[in-house]
Amino acid sequence: MVGQTISHYRITAKLGEGGMGVVYKAEDTKLERTVALKFLAAHLLNDEEAKERFLREAKAAAALDHPNICTVYEINEVDGKTFIAMAFLEGDSLEDRISNGPLPLKDSLEIARQVADGLQAAHGKGVFHRDIKPANVLISPEGLATVMDFGLARLTEASRLTKHNTAMGTVAYMSPEQAQGMDVDSRSDLWSLGCVLYEMVSGQRPFQGQYDQALLYEIVHEEPAALTGLRTGVPIELELLASKCLAKDRDDRYQSAKEIAVDVRTLAEKLKSGRSTIVRTTNLAAAARATVAAAQTLTPTEALPPGAVVVQRSTQRALQAVAAVAAIAVLGLAFLYFGQAPPPSPPTVEFSVAVPEGLRAGQLGVSPDGRHLVMSVRPRGSLWVRSLDSVEWREFTGTQGARFPFWSPDNTEIGFFADERLKKVALAGGPSQTITEAPDGRGGSWGANGTILFLPTPFAQVHSIAESGGEPIAVTEEGEGAGYPRFPHLLPDGRHFLYEVSGTSPEKSGIHLGSLDGDSPRRLLPDASNVLYVPSGAQASAGFLLFVREGTLMAQTFDASRMELSGGPIALPAAPPFAGNAGFYGFSASATGVLAYSSAPNAGPQRLVWVDRAGAAVDRTDLVADRLSTFSLAPDGTRAAYSAVAGGNLDIWTYDLMRQTRIRLSDQPGNDHYPVWSPDGTQVAFRSTQPATFGDIYLSQTDGSNAPVALLSETSEEFSSDWSNDGRFILYSSRGEETLYDLWYLERATSGDSWDRSFS
C-alpha cells in the first residue's frame, strides 16, 4: 500500500504489523501533516455487533484530548477497509525500553505518573483502555509517555484467551476480573498499570506462567515476588504502591488513577530529596547461601548472584502490612564457612526505610537482638530510633549533635558522642547521662561485662571505661609508625577487640586485633574500614567479620576463640557509602543476622555548581563525577582542579569550565586529593597516599604532560593547603606526635625545581 492514497491520506511507509492490523505512516493532504494510519485486521470486524461497539468506543476515544493520550483524528472505512487516523509520534515503545533491562527508578515513576494522568483523563470521560501494557505506551525522545490504542481493546477482549489471536504478553497484564470473564471498570486499567510499573522496576513481569492457563491461575491466585527482593535500592513505599495496584480484590486497589499519580509524584519527590531509600536491611545468611559449595575458595572479587536475596510470599504479605522485619531470619553464617548442613531456609526480607521528614541519615546501628535501628541525623542533629516492626521514628530529646551511636549488649541503652563527651541514653527514654570526656569521639563498643571501648579524639588511643563512668584507661599504645586507631569493636570474650588503623604506611594500616590483657596487637586485614564481628548463632565464637573492600561489603570467617581468619572473603550484595570520617562506612549488623546499611544520596555522583554568597546555587556545570571533592579554582577562574574516583582510585583532574573538557593528572595507586594551583596555572600540588608512602605532597603539570613528582616524602601526614601568589611557597599542614597539626611550607629553591621544607 506504500505510495497509495486512501481518502486524503498518502501512505509513505509501513511502520509495523500485528494481530490487530497494520500501521502505516502517511501524509494528510488536506491539513498537510504527518499521521499514522492503523488498518484493522478483517477478522476483528467480521461481527457487525462488535464492529458497532468498536466504532462507538473509538469515537469516544477520539474525543479525548490529553498530552499523554495519542490523539485520534478520524475513524473511516474505504473499500471495506476500516482504519484509524491518529497523531504520528516519534519515539520507542516502553516494551523496547524494558527489553534492555530495568529502567532507572526516577524514569519508572515518571512514566507511571504520566500514564496515570492519561488514564484519569480517559476514565473521567467514561473510556476504559482494557489493554494497558508496555507495547501500548510510546516514549518520546523528550521523555513524554503517550498511551496508544484507546478504544481498540474491546475488539480483542472476547478472543484474547486464545493463542491464535493474541500474544501471551497481553494475558500477563489482565486483571483478575478480566481473567475470570467478569465485567471490567476503570480499576482493571489500574491493575494493568501496576503490572507495567512492576516490569519497569524489576525488568520482569509480575506473573510468568509458561502458557495462558498457568498465567491466568497465577493472576487470580498467586502473589508476585516482592520488588525489594528483585532489585536493590527499591524503597518500601514503591513496594507498597505496586502491591496496592495489584490487589486481587478491586475494592482493595487504588480507586482512581489520580490516587496513583499523587502517590507516585510524592514518592518521586522523596527520592529526589533523599528522604527515602536511605537504609536497606537484608538477612546475611540468605544473602550468602548461594555460595555454600564454594565458600572456602571464593576470591575477593567473586560477588554473590543477584538472586541470592529473595522475599518469600509470606514475608511479602508482611511487607504489605508494614510489619516486614518481624519475619527476618535469625540465622548466622556458620554452616556456610564450617561445612555444616544448612537448616531450612527462613523467610528473608530486603527493604528500605525512609528517614524522618526533612532530615539526612548520619551513622546508624542495629540493636544486638535485631529489633531496633538507631540513627544519628545530619547536620549535627539528634538521635532517632525505630522498631523494625513499626514505621514510626522516635527522637531522643537532649541528644543534639549526637554521633557514632552504639548499643548496650542488653539492647536497653545507646552510647553516643555529643558535646565533647561520651554519653548514654535509655531506649525507653529519659535524659542522657555523661560517662566521660571525649572531645571528638570516633566510635565505641559496649561489652557484656560493662566495659566500654571508645576513641576520645581521632588521634588518640583506644580507651576503656566502665559503663558507670570513672577514669578512662588507654588500651593501645603509640609507637613509631603505629598509626591512629579508630572504631573499636569488642569481641564476645570481652577481652579482645577489633579496630581500624589509619594514618600509617599501607603495610601497617588496616584491621587489627587488640587485647585488654596487654598482648601485642596483630594486623588481620589490609582494609581501611570499620569492622564488625557477627556470630553465627548459638556459638558466639564461630562467626565472621564484616568490612568494606573497594566499596563492597565483605564477609570472612573468623574463629573468635582462636582469633584466626579462615577461607577467603565473600562479597555481599551491599555497597555502604563512605561517611567521610577516615575509613568509616555506613553499615551495622546484629548478633541475629540482621544487616542494615545506608544508601544515602551522597553516595552517588556529584555535580559541581556555582553558588552565591548566601549559599544558593545559581548555575550548574557539566562536571559530574563519583566522590567529587576537594576542588579548587584556577587563579584565572577558567578551570577547576578536583579529586574524583575513576577505576577504584581517587585521582586529581582538571576541568575547563568554558570548553567542558577534563584532564586526568594522576592515575597511580592510592588516593590523591587537596589540589592547589600555582599562581600561573601551569602546575597543581596535591596530597597523595602512594603504596610505599603516606600522605606526601606531589606536583603535576596541569596539561597532563608529566607523571606526578614527589616534592615531600615524610613519615607524618601532610595536607596541601595553598600556594603563594609569588610562586615561592606551598603551604601545607603536617601532624606531629606532640603538637598535632602544624603549618609548614615548602620553599622553591632560587634556581632549579627543588623545594625545601620549613616550619611555619
Side-chain angles (χ1 to χ4, degrees):
M1 296 180 63
V2 175
Q4 295 184 25
T5 298
I6 306 294
S7 183
H8 53 89
Y9 300 105
R10 183 172 59 84
I11 297 175
T12 59
K14 183 177 180 180
L15 298 177
E17 185 172 357
M20 296 185 66
V22 186
V23 181
Y24 293 93
K25 182 179 180 181
E27 293 297 325
D28 184 338
T29 57
K30 282 187 177 180
L31 299 178
E32 297 183 349
R33 61 184 175 185
T34 303
V35 301
L37 298 184
K38 176 168 284 190
F39 288 83
L40 299 177
H43 73 269
L44 296 177
L45 298 172
N46 54 13
D47 184 330
E48 287 300 320
E49 182 180 352
K51 183 176 179 180
E52 287 298 322
R53 188 164 56 242
F54 156 68
L55 291 174
R56 185 167 60 250
E57 292 206 10
K59 289 176 181 177
L64 299 176
D65 183 15
H66 192 273
N68 299 118
I69 297 175
C70 182
T71 302
V72 174
Y73 298 134
E74 179 185 5
I75 303 102
N76 204 344
E77 185 173 355
V78 175
D79 298 330
K81 297 178 180 179
T82 302
F83 65 89
I84 300 174
M86 63 188 77
F88 175 77
L89 302 174
E90 298 281 357
D92 303 317
S93 74
L94 182 56
E95 184 177 47
D96 292 337
R97 291 278 186 96
I98 296 175
S99 67
N100 295 320
L103 275 58
L105 288 183
K106 64 180 184 65
D107 293 350
S108 301
L109 293 173
E110 175 59 19
I111 292 170
R113 181 196 64 77
Q114 293 187 53
V115 172
D117 285 344
L119 288 175
Q120 179 64 21
H123 295 167
K125 299 287 188 180
V127 179
F128 311 144
H129 192 287
R130 297 186 182 88
D131 197 21
I132 293 294
K133 58 185 178 180
N136 280 338
V137 179
L138 188 78
I139 310 299
S140 75
E142 296 76 28
L144 179 68
T146 305
V147 182
M148 314 292 291
D149 288 354
F150 262 103
L152 297 185
R154 171 73 83 175
L155 284 175
T156 60
E157 190 169 307
S159 62
R160 181 129 3 107
L161 302 186
T162 66
K163 208 64 164 176
H164 177 71
N165 287 330
T166 182
M168 189 171 62
T170 297
V171 178
Y173 305 95
M174 292 174 62
S175 65
E177 55 269 22
Q178 283 176 295
Q180 298 176 86
M182 301 178 182
D183 290 337
V184 302
D185 58 22
S186 61
R187 293 169 295 181
S188 294
D189 284 347
L190 306 188
W191 165 282
S192 301
L193 175 55
C195 293
V196 172
L197 175 60
Y198 185 104
E199 189 171 353
M200 287 191 290
V201 173
S202 68
Q204 66 183 49
R205 295 167 180 163
F207 306 100
Q208 303 185 51
Q210 296 301 307
Y211 49 92
D212 286 356
Q213 288 76 11
L215 266 174
L216 295 173
Y217 181 86
E218 287 186 18
I219 289 169
V220 175
H221 299 288
E222 300 287 347
E223 297 287 348
L227 286 171
T228 47
L230 298 175
R231 174 175 176 176
T232 60
V234 175
I236 191 65
E237 298 97 324
L238 180 52
E239 179 71 69
L240 297 175
L241 191 155
S243 296
K244 190 171 182 180
C245 288
L246 297 176
K248 305 294 187 188
D249 188 333
R250 68 181 101 182
D251 290 335
D252 294 334
R253 266 176 239 158
Y254 283 100
Q255 298 301 293
S256 72
K258 182 178 181 180
E259 293 177 6
I260 297 178
V262 169
D263 282 0
V264 168
R265 186 180 294 108
T266 300
L267 177 54
E269 291 172 353
K270 280 187 175 183
L271 286 173
K272 185 177 180 179
S273 65
R275 290 185 283 116
S276 186
T277 322
I278 64 94
V279 178
R280 305 182 63 253
T281 308
T282 187
N283 172 258
L284 295 178
R289 184 166 291 112
T291 64
V292 172
Q296 296 290 348
T297 58
L298 285 180
T299 67
T301 58
E302 290 178 300
L304 298 175
V309 179
V310 299
V311 178
Q312 294 188 353
R313 196 162 288 122
S314 59
T315 301
Q316 187 201 6
R317 293 184 183 277
L319 275 170
Q320 293 171 0
V322 202
V325 186
I328 283 185
V330 293
L331 291 178
L333 289 176
F335 61 88
L336 290 176
Y337 298 99
F338 296 98
Q340 300 173 11
S345 299
T348 303
V349 170
E350 181 180 3
F351 69 101
S352 304
V353 297
V355 297
E357 184 80 15
L359 300 177
R360 292 182 296 149
Q363 299 88 31
L364 55 87
V366 178
S367 61
D369 62 6
R371 298 177 60 185
H372 290 84
L373 179 68
V374 67
M375 177 180 63
S376 64
V377 298
R378 293 180 289 173
R380 304 292 291 180
S382 53
L383 289 182
W384 292 68
V385 69
R386 64 174 276 174
S387 170
L388 289 183
D389 59 4
S390 168
V391 296
E392 299 297 327
W393 286 95
R394 174 168 58 91
E395 182 181 12
F396 289 105
T397 58
T399 61
Q400 282 71 25
R403 302 178 69 205
F404 300 109
F406 58 97
W407 288 86
S408 67
D410 62 0
N411 310 283
T412 62
E413 295 182 282
I414 300 167
F416 63 97
F417 299 90
D419 303 324
E420 300 186 353
R421 294 173 175 85
L422 171 61
K423 298 183 175 184
K424 63 180 179 180
V425 65
L427 175 62
S432 61
Q433 303 175 48
T434 295
I435 300 175
T436 189
E437 300 294 318
D440 190 8
R442 283 297 186 274
S445 181
W446 201 323
N449 61 0
T451 297
I452 293 177
L453 295 188
F454 72 104
L455 263 295
T457 71
F459 305 110
Q461 298 302 308
V462 178
H463 285 66
S464 71
I465 193 171
E467 60 187 15
S468 57
E471 187 66 26
I473 301 172
V475 296
T476 56
E477 297 181 357
E478 292 189 24
E480 182 67 26
Y484 318 127
R486 307 278 175 91
F487 312 113
H489 178 73
L490 272 163
L491 291 171
D493 67 357
R495 305 302 300 169
H496 291 85
F497 58 95
L498 305 166
Y499 59 99
E500 175 206 347
V501 170
S502 62
T504 186
S505 64
E507 292 77 15
K508 294 182 179 180
S509 65
I511 294 169
H512 286 62
L513 174 71
S515 171
L516 299 181
D517 299 324
D519 297 337
S520 298
R522 178 160 53 95
R523 183 175 184 252
L524 298 177
L525 291 163
D527 306 278
S529 166
N530 47 308
V531 59
L532 297 177
Y533 172 77
V534 181
S536 61
Q539 287 183 294
S541 62
F544 55 97
L545 302 187
L546 291 180
F547 59 95
V548 173
R549 174 174 292 172
E550 295 182 358
T552 298
L553 189 62
M554 312 295 290
Q556 185 162 355
T557 306
F558 184 74
D559 187 331
S561 62
R562 300 168 58 189
M563 302 297 160
E564 291 182 356
L565 290 163
S566 62
I570 295 177
L572 296 177
F578 187 76
N581 289 291
F584 182 81
Y585 293 85
F587 68 92
S588 179
S590 74
T592 58
V594 175
L595 166 67
Y597 64 94
S598 170
S599 57
N602 64 354
Q606 291 88 43
R607 181 187 296 275
L608 189 67
V609 300
W610 290 99
V611 298
D612 60 21
R613 291 182 182 273
V618 295
D619 197 9
R620 294 155 51 95
T621 74
D622 290 321
L623 175 56
V624 178
D626 287 333
R627 283 181 62 184
L628 173 64
S629 59
T630 62
F631 46 84
S632 64
L633 282 173
D636 62 3
T638 63
R639 291 173 293 168
Y642 63 96
S643 57
V645 169
N649 287 335
L650 190 66
D651 294 319
I652 298 295
W653 302 68
T654 62
Y655 180 74
D656 191 309
L657 296 163
M658 304 300 292
R659 297 191 180 107
Q660 300 179 6
T661 57
R662 64 188 75 190
I663 298 174
R664 188 175 188 169
L665 303 187
S666 67
D667 59 0
Q668 52 212 8
N671 291 328
D672 306 330
H673 40 192
Y674 298 100
V676 294
W677 289 84
S678 64
D680 61 3
T682 63
Q683 295 176 307
V684 165
F686 57 93
R687 177 181 189 261
S688 180
T689 57
Q690 297 299 302
T693 62
F694 174 72
D696 295 334
I697 305 299
Y698 279 72
L699 186 67
S700 182
Q701 300 295 320
T702 55
D703 60 5
S705 60
N706 75 309
V709 176
L711 298 185
L712 177 68
S713 297
E714 299 288 337
T715 58
S716 58
E717 187 176 24
E718 287 82 34
F719 291 88
S720 44
S721 301
D722 203 356
W723 200 320
S724 64
N725 290 334
D726 61 7
R728 289 181 55 198
F729 305 100
I730 295 176
L731 191 67
Y732 69 96
S733 58
S734 178
R735 184 181 184 273
E737 293 298 329
E738 299 295 332
T739 58
L740 298 183
Y741 279 103
D742 300 309
L743 284 177
W744 294 73
Y745 62 86
L746 291 168
E747 183 176 5
R748 188 194 298 269
T750 54
S751 61
D753 293 327
S754 62
W755 293 77
D756 298 322
R757 179 177 187 260
S758 299
F759 183 63
S760 178

